[in-house]
Every structure is written in C-alpha cells, then in structure tokens.
Amino acid sequence: MGVLGFALVALGAAAVFGGLLWYVWRRTVRDTTVKGSWGRRLGTVAFLAGPLLMFGALAAERAGAPFLLQQVLAWPGFLWMAFALYLLLALLVGELVRPLLRRWVERARPALEDEARSADGAGKGAQPQPTGPGGDLPRRVFVARTVAAGAATVAAATVGYGTYEVLRGPRVKRVTVPLAKLPRAAHGFRIAVVSDIHLGPVLGEGFARRVVDTVNSTQADLIAIVGDLVDGDVEDLAGAARPLADLRARHGAFFVTGNHEYFSGAEQWVEHVRSLGLRPLENARTELPYFDLAGVNDVQGEDEGQGPDFAKALGDRDRTRASVLLAHQPVVIHDAVEHGVDLQLSGHTHGGQLWPNNLVADLANPTLAGLERYGDTQLYVTRGAGAWGPPVRVGAPSDITVVELASRRA
C-alpha cells in the first residue's frame, strides 16, 4: 500500500470514528441538555477529552514516552476506550427501545394530566403541555435522558465488571491432550501455559505476583510463558517483572517472545528473563526426558531479522519423539504441521478480550481459544493472563492453562 492509499484508509477510519463519536455525543449530550447550558458544555468537553486521552495513551506507549506519562494517561485513556465502545453498543440497542418508550409516554400522559387536574383543581381550560411522566420535562428530553442514562449505566457496569475480571488475576483452566508418541512414563506430565501478561503502565508488580502465585499453585512440571510478557523497557518494568524469579517447576520455566516484546526491545527482555531464572527458547530446542520442547521467535521479529526459524528449532530432531512447540501466535500452526510438531502452545488472541472483538479476532487467527487439531498437529491457544489496552475483559475471561499430556500407551 502506497502513501496515498495509507492516507485514504487513515482518512476513512478517522471519518468513521468521528461519525460514531458524533452519534454518541448527540444521543447522550445534545439530546439530553439545553443549548448553551453548563450540562451541554461539560458533556461536550468530556467527549473531546476522552478521545484525546485515549490516543495519547496509545501514542505514549508506542513512542516510549516517559513511563510516568504513560501511567498518567493509561488508566483514563484506556478505560474511556472501553466505556465508549459499550456506550455505543448500548445506545444502538436503545434505538430499538426509544419508540417503545415514546409510545408508553404518549399513553401515560393523558392519565397523568387528568390525575394532576383532579389533584389541584386545575380544570379551568388550561391546555396540557407535551410533558413526560415526571411533570414539566418535555417528552422528547425525557425519552432521550432515559435511554442515555440506561445506556451509560449498562456501559459503566460492563466496564466495571470487566476491569474486575482482569485485576483479580487469571483463573486456572485444565485441559488434557493425548499425544500418540508420548511414552507411558510421561503420562500426566503437566505444563502451565502463561501468555499475554502485558506488564506495563497499567498492570505492574502486584499483578505479576498474583500470576506467579497462581502458576506455582498448580505445581506444574514445566512452565511455558508464550510471549507478550511486557509493554515497555526493562528500565521501567524490571521491578514489575521481579516476581517471575519465584516461578517454580521441576523442569523449569521457559520463555518465547511475543510481538509486544519487539515493540519494547526483545533482546533486552530475553536477557532480563534469563537473569530471572527463565530459559528463553530463541528458535531453539531442548530434549527433555520424555519429549522435545522447542520454541520459535514471534513473527514480529521478521522486521528485525529475528523471526521464527522452524528449520533451526526443529529441522534435525528425532521425529519418533513427541514434540511440543512454544509459539506466541497461532498463525504459525501450518509451519508446525509441516515440521511434524505434535502440540503447539500459543496465546496472542486474548480470546478477543472485549466482546464483540472476538468476532474480528476469530477471523484473523486459525484458533481463537482452546484446543483444535490440524492434521497430525494439535494447537492449544490460551486466552492469556492479562490484558492489553483497556484493563478490561468482557466475554473472554483470563486464564492460566494447565495442559496435562496423556500417553495413548498408558
């Protein structure tokens, strides 16, 4: 795509975003307030400040702005992003409710007016005003305020619960995966799969400690961190990552890069996690007693000449042994199939993180979440432990998955 094409796409996206923002402002501010009132002025300022904070948070993180600035912008900017999404969806549903509510008001008004005349003796020929059930409020404004208040309540409750879902930490999910080549002695071998922790300006050391404690509570035989550990530099996030040094498993903890490591500086993080006791697998393989464990770099590394190299990681191995591959993105499953991998463990998708984004994420990935088979290769995708952008999950609860390998010879 040339510069002109990119500019046209960007212009189109900006126009769509602006149109949606105008629609939400109209329904929640213009239709519910009086022109020139403080309510309309404050509402308009809020609708201008929200997108600025959101784009500021995104730009600050990607540009590597001072970490304090990232932290200041992240919470309000990213929460506004999630709130605006669900406010828009709730208002669209409200369009279906609006005519029903208007009809109810029309039917309720005559009875209320008759009741008011009887109560104050106002049957002196006074003309009834087009009011809502509350009295002097115009019907149009009453309906607009009712729909807007309902939509805002639904959006706030959704974002509030989704934030709680993230901050409480991931829950343990268990899945059994039979492998034809796995020896009987390895039956029941447990791998704790952790992905997408996303330590950064929002999720810090306290969150990392919850993840580590949850992983250790599974008493897994091996720990696999399959990318997107961080969003930021080692200098800023070394403290947040400190709890990872306490990960414990009989066969150790392994790490492969995700796309966000390359946004932050993958080499520095590979060295840092090694200093914490994790073992990076950079297009490499290790032979465990019962199967081969391999890892490939994320496809984002191709821009730096450090992309996945399946031949290096798997090319010369003994194919009579079972093999497990750690790869951040599910999209490399076809390379795994070609190289005879028995099981690929991935993350990246977050399960969509924010419904209805799962519909888009499902189109972009061969498997959104869970276990699926591709030829002789099985792919398991975890929804991840943390969150990127808004610290909110809706319809995609976070997890740490304990994959229990099963021998068909047992």
Side-chain angles (χ1 to χ4, degrees), residues 73-370:
L73 293 173
W75 275 101
F78 288 136
L79 284 179
W80 187 90
M81 179 192 298
F83 177 75
L85 168 64
Y86 290 109
L87 181 59
L88 170 64
L89 294 176
L91 287 171
L92 291 175
V93 173
E95 297 298 338
L96 302 177
V97 177
R98 192 180 301 275
L100 301 177
L101 184 59
R102 188 180 297 117
R103 189 175 306 165
W104 175 81
V105 171
E106 289 286 348
R107 290 177 178 177
R109 183 172 63 85
L112 291 171
E113 288 172 351
D114 290 342
E115 183 179 338
R117 291 191 186 99
S118 298
D120 61 13
K124 300 178 181 179
Q127 294 299 315
Q129 297 299 313
T131 60
D136 294 333
L137 194 65
R139 291 195 308 272
R140 178 186 60 78
V141 177
F142 172 81
V143 171
R145 287 184 180 179
T146 301
V147 173
T153 300
V154 169
T158 301
V159 172
Y161 181 76
T163 302
Y164 166 76
E165 281 285 295
V166 171
L167 297 183
R168 73 173 181 185
R171 293 181 178 177
V172 176
K173 180 179 179 181
R174 299 180 186 274
V175 61
T176 299
V177 181
L179 298 181
K181 300 176 187 176
L182 193 72
R184 182 179 303 174
H187 184 75
F189 190 99
R190 292 168 301 162
I191 304 174
V193 184
V194 192
S195 184
D196 303 284
I197 300 175
H198 287 287
L199 300 177
V202 173
L203 301 177
E205 184 176 2
F207 183 78
R209 173 55 59 191
R210 283 192 288 279
V211 171
V212 168
D213 289 346
T214 302
V215 172
N216 286 343
S217 72
T218 68
Q219 298 183 322
D221 298 298
L222 183 148
I223 299 168
I225 299 179
V226 289
D228 279 8
L229 172 63
V230 292
D231 287 303
D233 296 333
V234 170
E235 180 182 356
D236 296 321
L237 295 174
R242 189 180 300 116
L244 298 174
D246 296 329
L247 286 170
R248 296 289 181 267
R250 183 158 56 100
H251 290 277
F254 294 82
F255 170 80
V256 293
T257 55
N259 54 310
H260 281 248
E261 270 73 55
Y262 290 95
F263 301 150
S264 306
E267 291 184 5
Q268 60 170 322
W269 277 110
V270 166
E271 292 307 313
H272 189 70
V273 299
R274 182 179 283 116
S275 73
L276 295 174
L278 280 68
R279 181 173 174 181
L281 290 175
E282 299 181 274
N283 296 324
R285 181 181 75 254
T286 183
E287 294 184 0
L288 298 176
Y290 307 118
F291 61 89
D292 292 342
L293 180 70
V296 291
N297 296 345
D298 185 70
V299 293
Q300 184 68 37
E302 292 175 349
D303 294 340
E304 302 176 18
Q306 299 176 12
D309 189 333
F310 286 87
K312 182 178 179 182
L314 297 161
D316 59 349
R317 73 178 188 84
D318 179 0
R319 291 203 176 195
T320 64
R321 286 170 54 87
S323 59
V324 176
L325 173 69
L326 310 183
H328 178 63
Q329 297 195 42
V331 293
V332 301
I333 181 61
H334 303 295
D335 295 285
V337 171
E338 182 181 340
H339 287 83
V341 169
D342 296 289
L343 173 63
Q344 176 179 316
L345 301 175
S346 298
H348 181 65
T349 69
H350 297 207
Q353 186 170 324
L354 294 172
W355 182 91
N357 183 57
N358 59 304
L359 303 177
V360 178
D362 197 23
L363 294 174
N365 293 278
T367 296
L368 182 66

